[in-house]
Structure formats: C-alpha cells, structure tokens
Amino acid sequence: MSGSLAVIGLGPGSPGALTPDAAAALELADALYGYGPYLARVPERPGQVRHASDNREEGARAAAALRDAADGARVALLSGGDPGVFAMAAAVCEQIEAGADAWRSLDVMVVPGVTAMLAVAARVGAPLGHDFCAISLSDNLKPWDVVERRLDGASTGGFVIALYNPISRARPWQLGAAFARLRRHLPAGTPAVFGRAVGRADETVAVTTLGAADSMSADMATLIIVGSALTRVIERPGLRPLVYTPRSVMGGSS
C-alpha cells in the first residue's frame, strides 16, 4: 500500500467552517496526528488511530506523521485554522527538507482551512478590505527584535495587522509590548478587534481602539486585528459596529 500525508486545516472551530475537502481527507485517513484539543474536534471513527501531542511538539509530530506515511499509512496531520498559516504545513516541509530521502517521494497534500483572521474579520465587517499582513507575536522561533521590526514596517507601511499567538503563560508581556510599539506609529483611535474562540461556544468579539486595547483581554485563543490609519468604524444602535478598511486610498483604485 502506498502511504500519503494530508495536512488538514480544521478552520476556526465551528463544524460549519470545515471545508468539504478537509472532511473528505479526514474520512480517508487511517491515522490522525495533532495537538490534543484539535484531535478532540474530530469525531472518532472505528479503525482510525489517533496520536495526540503537545502544542510545542510540531517538529516531532510532523516527523512521526511522515514516518507513518512512509510505512504505508494514509495519514492526516491536523492544524487549527489553515495549515499554511503559522502551522503544520511549514513544519512538514522543514522535516521533509532535512529528513529521510523517502519522505520526498511521499504523496503530500495540504488541505486549506479558514484561518482565524478571516473568521474574526467576518464577524465585524471588512477590516481586511485593503492591504493587510499577519504577524505572530511568538518569539519562540524568532528573536523579539525581528517582531519589533515587522510591527514597525507594517504599521508605517499602512497595513492592517492581524496578530497571531498574542499571549500565553510563558509569554505574558509580548502583546503589551506590541501595542506600545504600534502606538508609536498609529493614532490612538485606530480600531482594534479582539476575537476569541470564533466559531466555538465560548466565542467573544469586541471592537475597541489601539489606545484602549488591553493586553490582559487576550489569551492564546484570541486573534487581534489592528486597523490602519484608514480603517473606519460604523456605529449601529443596538448592534455590533461594522469595521472596514476602504478599498481605495486617496481616491485611487486598490
């Protein structure tokens, strides 16, 4: 039997946000590998083996999945959101590049999913309506000064910024430092959106400003969108505001 590896994005959490392609790939798999909470989102199927691991074991998880696929299994490796956005698809590529020659001949398929910034943006309107970027605030795999340079470049360049991995018990200060950095370049009234666990039962979404943004309002389940100087808020009595970034700049087309 020829093995294969599907790296699958589960979306932000709602079963309705799981794509048909992702559902089909999950159904075909002999073995599932993933971070424990992500595996828990997938219904158990008789005969399907499940391998849970810790969130910080991405490289070892990818290598284990590749070994299983090389031995002939049809393997699904799970990511929350989209596997290509700060997630397992890059970890798999890293392992293939450095690993056994046999891994380069495997059938590897990356199945996209709805990433958190798209899910949060949809809850409030269209904050990503013009140029935007995504920055991870985790300094586990890159120095903090690299994060600072990217925050400076994005905010001075007019990009809306989606902040991934904003805060954790091991990294309690980085989000506050990021807000302070962004306040050097952006007005205090710049819209900021906090979206936590979007698509799940404990979802919360709040619209605030960069000046009022509180790092203690976030955790690792939170995705934060900080607008550009052009991002606007439409207040609606009794309803959540609409946040959008116009498609044109100074009358020009996007």
Short mmCIF file of all heavy atoms in Angstrom, two decimals, residues 58-95:
data_model
loop_
_atom_site.label_atom_id
_atom_site.label_comp_id
_atom_site.label_asym_id
_atom_site.label_seq_id
_atom_site.Cartn_x
_atom_site.Cartn_y
_atom_site.Cartn_z
N GLU A 58 5.66 20.47 17.37
CA GLU A 58 5.30 20.46 15.95
C GLU A 58 6.28 19.65 15.10
O GLU A 58 5.87 18.87 14.24
CB GLU A 58 5.21 21.89 15.40
CG GLU A 58 4.04 22.70 15.93
CD GLU A 58 4.42 23.53 17.14
OE1 GLU A 58 5.48 23.25 17.76
OE2 GLU A 58 3.65 24.44 17.49
N GLY A 59 7.58 19.85 15.32
CA GLY A 59 8.56 19.13 14.52
C GLY A 59 8.50 17.63 14.73
O GLY A 59 8.49 16.85 13.76
N ALA A 60 8.43 17.20 15.99
CA ALA A 60 8.34 15.77 16.29
C ALA A 60 7.03 15.19 15.77
O ALA A 60 7.01 14.05 15.27
CB ALA A 60 8.45 15.56 17.80
N ARG A 61 5.96 15.94 15.86
CA ARG A 61 4.66 15.48 15.36
C ARG A 61 4.71 15.29 13.84
O ARG A 61 4.24 14.28 13.30
CB ARG A 61 3.57 16.48 15.72
CG ARG A 61 2.16 16.04 15.33
CD ARG A 61 1.16 17.16 15.59
NE ARG A 61 1.31 17.67 16.94
CZ ARG A 61 1.26 18.96 17.26
NH1 ARG A 61 1.09 19.89 16.34
NH2 ARG A 61 1.40 19.33 18.52
N ALA A 62 5.29 16.26 13.14
CA ALA A 62 5.38 16.16 11.69
C ALA A 62 6.25 14.97 11.28
O ALA A 62 5.91 14.21 10.36
CB ALA A 62 5.95 17.45 11.11
N ALA A 63 7.37 14.76 11.98
CA ALA A 63 8.26 13.64 11.67
C ALA A 63 7.56 12.30 11.90
O ALA A 63 7.69 11.36 11.10
CB ALA A 63 9.53 13.72 12.50
N ALA A 64 6.81 12.21 13.00
CA ALA A 64 6.09 10.96 13.28
C ALA A 64 5.04 10.67 12.21
O ALA A 64 4.88 9.52 11.77
CB ALA A 64 5.43 11.04 14.66
N ALA A 65 4.34 11.70 11.77
CA ALA A 65 3.34 11.53 10.72
C ALA A 65 3.99 11.11 9.41
O ALA A 65 3.47 10.24 8.69
CB ALA A 65 2.56 12.83 10.54
N LEU A 66 5.14 11.69 9.08
CA LEU A 66 5.85 11.31 7.86
C LEU A 66 6.34 9.88 7.92
O LEU A 66 6.27 9.14 6.93
CB LEU A 66 7.02 12.28 7.64
CG LEU A 66 6.64 13.67 7.13
CD1 LEU A 66 7.77 14.66 7.37
CD2 LEU A 66 6.28 13.62 5.65
N ARG A 67 6.85 9.46 9.07
CA ARG A 67 7.31 8.07 9.21
C ARG A 67 6.15 7.10 8.99
O ARG A 67 6.30 6.08 8.31
CB ARG A 67 7.94 7.86 10.58
CG ARG A 67 9.35 8.43 10.71
CD ARG A 67 10.05 7.91 11.96
NE ARG A 67 9.40 8.40 13.17
CZ ARG A 67 9.75 9.53 13.79
NH1 ARG A 67 10.73 10.28 13.31
NH2 ARG A 67 9.13 9.91 14.88
N ASP A 68 5.01 7.42 9.58
CA ASP A 68 3.84 6.56 9.44
C ASP A 68 3.40 6.49 7.97
O ASP A 68 3.08 5.41 7.44
CB ASP A 68 2.70 7.11 10.31
CG ASP A 68 1.68 6.06 10.69
OD1 ASP A 68 1.78 4.93 10.21
OD2 ASP A 68 0.75 6.39 11.47
N ALA A 69 3.39 7.64 7.31
CA ALA A 69 3.02 7.66 5.89
C ALA A 69 4.02 6.87 5.05
O ALA A 69 3.65 6.15 4.12
CB ALA A 69 2.92 9.10 5.41
N ALA A 70 5.31 7.01 5.37
CA ALA A 70 6.34 6.27 4.63
C ALA A 70 6.20 4.77 4.81
O ALA A 70 6.60 3.98 3.94
CB ALA A 70 7.72 6.73 5.06
N ASP A 71 5.61 4.35 5.93
CA ASP A 71 5.36 2.93 6.18
C ASP A 71 4.10 2.43 5.50
O ASP A 71 3.74 1.26 5.63
CB ASP A 71 5.28 2.67 7.68
CG ASP A 71 6.63 2.75 8.37
OD1 ASP A 71 7.66 2.63 7.66
OD2 ASP A 71 6.67 2.95 9.60
N GLY A 72 3.39 3.32 4.81
CA GLY A 72 2.23 2.89 4.03
C GLY A 72 0.88 3.37 4.51
O GLY A 72 -0.14 3.09 3.87
N ALA A 73 0.82 4.10 5.62
CA ALA A 73 -0.47 4.56 6.14
C ALA A 73 -0.95 5.81 5.42
O ALA A 73 -0.17 6.61 4.90
CB ALA A 73 -0.36 4.84 7.64
N ARG A 74 -2.27 5.97 5.39
CA ARG A 74 -2.87 7.22 4.93
C ARG A 74 -3.05 8.10 6.17
O ARG A 74 -3.90 7.83 7.02
CB ARG A 74 -4.21 6.96 4.25
CG ARG A 74 -4.10 6.22 2.94
CD ARG A 74 -5.45 5.83 2.39
NE ARG A 74 -6.14 4.93 3.32
CZ ARG A 74 -7.31 4.33 3.06
NH1 ARG A 74 -7.92 4.56 1.91
NH2 ARG A 74 -7.86 3.52 3.94
N VAL A 75 -2.24 9.13 6.27
CA VAL A 75 -2.12 9.91 7.50
C VAL A 75 -2.73 11.30 7.30
O VAL A 75 -2.55 11.93 6.24
CB VAL A 75 -0.64 10.05 7.91
CG1 VAL A 75 -0.50 10.92 9.16
CG2 VAL A 75 -0.03 8.67 8.14
N ALA A 76 -3.44 11.76 8.31
CA ALA A 76 -3.93 13.14 8.34
C ALA A 76 -3.27 13.85 9.51
O ALA A 76 -3.32 13.37 10.65
CB ALA A 76 -5.45 13.18 8.49
N LEU A 77 -2.63 14.97 9.23
CA LEU A 77 -1.98 15.79 10.25
C LEU A 77 -2.81 17.06 10.41
O LEU A 77 -3.00 17.80 9.43
CB LEU A 77 -0.55 16.11 9.82
CG LEU A 77 0.31 16.96 10.74
CD1 LEU A 77 0.43 16.34 12.12
CD2 LEU A 77 1.68 17.15 10.12
N LEU A 78 -3.30 17.33 11.62
CA LEU A 78 -4.29 18.37 11.84
C LEU A 78 -3.68 19.69 12.26
O LEU A 78 -2.72 19.74 13.03
CB LEU A 78 -5.29 17.93 12.90
CG LEU A 78 -5.91 16.54 12.74
CD1 LEU A 78 -6.97 16.32 13.82
CD2 LEU A 78 -6.51 16.36 11.35
N SER A 79 -4.29 20.76 11.77
CA SER A 79 -3.99 22.12 12.22
C SER A 79 -5.32 22.82 12.50
O SER A 79 -6.32 22.54 11.83
CB SER A 79 -3.25 22.93 11.15
OG SER A 79 -1.89 22.63 11.11
N GLY A 80 -5.32 23.74 13.46
CA GLY A 80 -6.44 24.64 13.57
C GLY A 80 -6.34 25.67 12.46
O GLY A 80 -5.26 25.94 11.92
N GLY A 81 -7.45 26.27 12.07
CA GLY A 81 -7.41 27.30 11.04
C GLY A 81 -6.91 26.75 9.73
O GLY A 81 -7.41 25.75 9.20
N ASP A 82 -5.88 27.39 9.16
CA ASP A 82 -5.27 26.95 7.91
C ASP A 82 -3.89 26.39 8.20
O ASP A 82 -3.11 27.01 8.94
CB ASP A 82 -5.16 28.13 6.94
CG ASP A 82 -4.53 27.72 5.62
OD1 ASP A 82 -3.29 27.71 5.52
OD2 ASP A 82 -5.30 27.39 4.69
N PRO A 83 -3.54 25.23 7.63
CA PRO A 83 -2.26 24.61 7.99
C PRO A 83 -1.04 25.37 7.47
O PRO A 83 0.07 25.13 7.93
CB PRO A 83 -2.34 23.23 7.34
CG PRO A 83 -3.31 23.39 6.22
CD PRO A 83 -4.31 24.40 6.70
N GLY A 84 -1.26 26.29 6.54
CA GLY A 84 -0.14 27.04 6.00
C GLY A 84 0.12 28.35 6.68
O GLY A 84 1.06 29.07 6.31
N VAL A 85 -0.69 28.72 7.68
CA VAL A 85 -0.55 30.00 8.38
C VAL A 85 -0.05 29.73 9.80
O VAL A 85 -0.83 29.33 10.67
CB VAL A 85 -1.88 30.77 8.40
CG1 VAL A 85 -1.72 32.10 9.14
CG2 VAL A 85 -2.38 31.02 6.98
N PHE A 86 1.25 29.92 10.04
CA PHE A 86 1.87 29.67 11.35
C PHE A 86 1.52 28.28 11.87
O PHE A 86 1.25 28.11 13.06
CB PHE A 86 1.43 30.73 12.36
CG PHE A 86 1.68 32.14 11.94
CD1 PHE A 86 0.64 33.04 11.81
CD2 PHE A 86 2.96 32.59 11.66
CE1 PHE A 86 0.87 34.35 11.41
CE2 PHE A 86 3.20 33.89 11.26
CZ PHE A 86 2.15 34.78 11.14
N ALA A 87 1.54 27.28 11.01
CA ALA A 87 1.01 25.98 11.43
C ALA A 87 1.80 24.83 10.80
O ALA A 87 2.96 24.97 10.42
CB ALA A 87 -0.48 25.90 11.11
N MET A 88 1.13 23.68 10.67
CA MET A 88 1.83 22.42 10.45
C MET A 88 2.35 22.21 9.05
O MET A 88 3.25 21.39 8.84
CB MET A 88 0.92 21.26 10.85
CG MET A 88 0.65 21.15 12.33
SD MET A 88 2.16 21.08 13.35
CE MET A 88 2.99 19.64 12.67
N ALA A 89 1.85 22.89 8.04
CA ALA A 89 2.36 22.66 6.69
C ALA A 89 3.83 23.04 6.59
O ALA A 89 4.64 22.32 5.97
CB ALA A 89 1.53 23.44 5.68
N ALA A 90 4.22 24.16 7.20
CA ALA A 90 5.63 24.55 7.18
C ALA A 90 6.48 23.57 7.98
O ALA A 90 7.61 23.25 7.59
CB ALA A 90 5.79 25.96 7.73
N ALA A 91 5.94 23.08 9.11
CA ALA A 91 6.68 22.09 9.91
C ALA A 91 6.93 20.82 9.10
O ALA A 91 8.01 20.22 9.18
CB ALA A 91 5.91 21.77 11.19
N VAL A 92 5.95 20.39 8.31
CA VAL A 92 6.13 19.22 7.47
C VAL A 92 7.20 19.47 6.42
O VAL A 92 8.08 18.63 6.18
CB VAL A 92 4.79 18.83 6.80
CG1 VAL A 92 5.00 17.81 5.68
CG2 VAL A 92 3.83 18.26 7.84
N CYS A 93 7.15 20.63 5.76
CA CYS A 93 8.17 20.94 4.74
C CYS A 93 9.57 20.97 5.35
O CYS A 93 10.53 20.49 4.73
CB CYS A 93 7.85 22.29 4.09
SG CYS A 93 6.37 22.26 3.04
N GLU A 94 9.70 21.52 6.54
CA GLU A 94 11.00 21.55 7.21
C GLU A 94 11.52 20.13 7.45
O GLU A 94 12.71 19.84 7.24
CB GLU A 94 10.88 22.29 8.55
CG GLU A 94 10.68 23.79 8.40
CD GLU A 94 10.33 24.46 9.72
OE1 GLU A 94 10.17 23.73 10.73
OE2 GLU A 94 10.21 25.69 9.75
N GLN A 95 10.63 19.24 7.90
CA GLN A 95 11.05 17.87 8.16
C GLN A 95 11.40 17.14 6.88
O GLN A 95 12.37 16.36 6.85
CB GLN A 95 9.94 17.13 8.92
CG GLN A 95 9.68 17.63 10.33
CD GLN A 95 10.89 17.49 11.23
OE1 GLN A 95 11.57 16.46 11.22
NE2 GLN A 95 11.16 18.52 12.01
#
